[in-house]
Amino acid sequence: MEQKKVLAICKSEEDPSAYYRIIQYVQGHEHVRYVSLFSNKAYRRYYGGKRTIFEKVLTGIRVECKAIFILLWDRVYYRSDVLIINRKIFPKYCPRLVRAMLQIYFQKKYVIWDFDDNIFQNGEISNIEWQLYENTADKVIVTNEFLKGMLSARLQAKTDLLPTTDRDFEDIQAQKCTHKRRTLFSTKLNLIWTGTGGNLVFLEQITEQLEQAAKDMRDREVTLYVVCNLPLRIRKKYRYLKIKNIKWTRKGARRLLESMHIGLMPLNENAFTKGKGAFKAVQYIGAGLPVVASPVGFNCVVVQDGKNGFLTEDRWAESIQKLAQSFEQWETYSQCARKHWEQTFNSKKNLEYWEDLLLRP
């Protein structure tokens, strides 16, 4: 039986959603092509700092033109059987002419729509494009029940739940990491927060409590590593808490996690954050890190309160101190974290899912 030709349209290889939900599972397969709306350089430039209105408009026009070119190229030359759409194709403005073109383009394709955020709430996707997928998608893949509930009854019947996870943690050397962390533990406590610049506001809200935790543990140097496309800028200079901003790269973040002790994932509760897939927390437990997180949305699935970390609204300092009381106690939480990843968020399960859906004849 001839294998299906698959085309995946993503924002960029640098985009966490595109890479960790799709690209890492389909790259290297000769009958699968994935195309990016941004080059890696353009993506870093656009999302790595503040953007003027002119830059936003110009980028929107460029992305729209590239998207139209990709669809025409596929229609005329590549002729895929299966189309995967990560989040959306077009910017917020989707002209009616483009909508009509998409409807024709989708007619003979098996359309898979994948997203891992509440892209309806933040206006990332236009109502026109949303309705188009509502009417044409053959399969929808989301991270959690909250996002599934945003869809029509017709689409919910075609929706699968698939957490966002990271294949780099399949082969983590647990004993080596534990030894490294044990060596540091008596004199240092390393906290880590990873994410995109739009989520720094949540981290800013707990820095006072992190300073309090550092103050209460004067026998150790407490350092917060902020791994992000943008730096955390705190006007107040803290006396006890050290803050190190590190530019995010996929490999750099992976290496750094091996010498960390506790992962942090603060959030405020609202319609957007309820739709988040808690990917940072999933990476933390994949690396064997206990997690302190807000009890919001999917965080409550990833973090088992009192087992592999703590869920807290306002007791961040206290939760960190509990995890840091002794290395033996920390190691128990660490082992529970890794076990939960292997049982529930193991990327091998995601790979099997994609192979069953796409990669087998």
Side-chain angles (χ1 to χ4, degrees):
M1 184 184 295
E2 186 177 349
Q3 285 194 312
K4 297 166 285 190
K5 294 176 72 174
V6 180
L7 177 67
I9 301 178
C10 304
K11 189 179 290 183
S12 167
E13 288 184 17
E14 295 279 311
D15 182 66
S17 177
Y19 182 82
Y20 290 112
R21 290 194 62 76
I22 297 173
I23 294 174
Q24 67 173 341
Y25 301 111
V26 303
Q27 61 185 355
H29 294 275
E30 60 182 20
H31 64 288
V32 180
R33 296 283 294 270
Y34 63 88
V35 291
S36 299
L37 297 171
F38 287 80
S39 68
N40 291 341
K41 183 178 180 180
Y43 179 88
R44 289 192 294 268
R45 184 171 63 247
Y46 186 73
Y47 289 98
K50 293 183 178 180
R51 307 177 294 275
T52 65
I53 294 176
F54 175 76
E55 287 173 325
K56 290 180 181 179
V57 172
L58 183 61
T59 299
I61 293 172
R62 285 174 176 169
V63 169
E64 190 137 354
C65 290
K66 186 168 184 179
I68 292 172
F69 172 79
I70 289 169
L71 299 184
L72 290 173
W73 166 80
D74 183 38
R75 177 83 174 178
V76 175
Y77 174 71
Y78 186 63
R79 298 181 181 180
S80 63
D81 303 301
V82 180
L83 176 69
I84 306 172
I85 299 163
N86 176 242
R87 299 171 79 97
K88 58 155 190 182
I89 297 177
F90 289 94
K92 293 181 182 180
Y93 178 65
C94 184
R96 292 185 182 276
L97 179 62
V98 173
R99 181 185 181 186
M101 188 177 100
L102 285 172
Q103 287 175 325
I104 296 172
Y105 173 69
F106 286 166
Q107 281 179 357
K108 294 184 178 181
K109 294 189 184 298
Y110 187 86
V111 178
I112 301 171
W113 182 26
D114 171 90
F115 60 96
D116 60 341
D117 273 323
N118 191 346
I119 57 176
F120 319 110
Q121 175 69 24
N122 69 355
E124 179 178 334
I125 187 170
S126 68
N127 288 332
I128 289 177
E129 192 168 358
W130 178 3
Q131 290 304 314
L132 180 66
Y133 298 153
E134 279 275 1
N135 296 328
T136 59
D138 298 289
K139 174 69 69 178
V140 181
I141 307 170
V142 298
T143 49
N144 53 54
E145 291 285 355
F146 182 85
L147 293 180
K148 182 178 179 179
M150 302 290 294
L151 303 171
S152 65
R154 185 195 81 84
L155 274 194
Q156 287 189 37
K158 300 180 177 183
T159 299
D160 292 337
L161 301 181
L162 195 72
T164 310
T165 187
D166 187 345
R167 292 193 69 188
D168 282 346
F169 292 103
E170 288 179 8
D171 59 351
I172 190 169
Q173 296 178 303
Q175 290 184 342
K176 182 179 178 181
C177 291
T178 298
H179 176 74
K180 184 185 297 185
R181 292 160 179 166
R182 181 190 293 272
T183 302
L184 297 169
F185 195 83
S186 61
T187 57
K188 298 178 182 291
L189 185 72
N190 292 335
L191 313 176
I192 188 168
W193 179 93
T194 65
T196 54
N199 293 311
L200 283 171
V201 60
F202 305 123
L203 180 60
E204 291 171 7
Q205 294 171 1
I206 68 166
T207 52
E208 288 287 345
Q209 291 205 49
L210 302 183
E211 165 70 0
Q212 183 61 50
K215 181 180 179 181
D216 293 340
M217 290 186 284
R218 297 186 192 182
D219 59 324
R220 276 182 279 182
E221 180 181 281
V222 179
T223 304
L224 169 64
Y225 290 82
V226 181
V227 186
C228 185
N229 60 319
L230 297 174
L232 174 67
R233 301 189 187 279
I234 302 293
R235 293 181 181 179
K236 181 179 179 181
K237 187 174 181 179
Y238 291 122
R239 181 177 178 183
Y240 301 98
L241 177 68
K242 296 182 181 298
I243 299 176
K244 291 188 177 182
N245 285 298
I246 297 175
K247 192 79 171 181
W248 181 90
T249 64
R250 192 172 299 122
K251 291 182 179 180
R254 166 71 168 77
R255 285 195 301 267
L256 190 62
L257 282 166
E258 294 181 357
S259 59
M260 296 294 106
H261 295 110
I262 299 171
L264 305 174
M265 190 168 177
L267 288 175
N268 292 343
E269 185 167 7
N270 54 49
F272 181 72
T273 57
K274 285 180 180 178
K276 280 185 164 294
F279 177 55
K280 289 190 287 289
V282 173
Q283 282 188 311
Y284 299 153
I285 65 171
L289 293 186
V291 183
V292 183
S294 303
V296 175
F298 206 61
N299 280 6
C300 300
V301 177
V302 181
V303 181
Q304 301 167 303
D305 192 34
K307 293 183 178 180
N308 65 0
F310 294 102
L311 295 167
T312 182
E313 293 181 351
D314 54 9
R315 295 185 175 182
W316 294 84
E318 180 181 330
S319 299
I320 290 168
Q321 289 164 15
K322 286 181 180 179
L323 293 172
Q325 283 181 358
S326 70
F327 188 81
E328 289 70 24
Q329 183 168 305
W330 176 91
E331 190 172 13
T332 299
Y333 286 102
S334 171
Q335 290 170 349
C336 287
R338 178 63 187 180
K339 183 178 180 181
H340 190 37
W341 186 90
E342 290 176 345
Q343 293 178 342
T344 309
F345 301 99
N346 196 322
S347 51
K348 292 179 181 178
K349 296 179 181 179
N350 286 27
L351 179 60
E352 289 174 2
Y353 172 88
W354 281 109
E355 287 180 341
D356 286 339
L357 188 62
L358 299 175
L359 305 179
R360 291 174 182 157

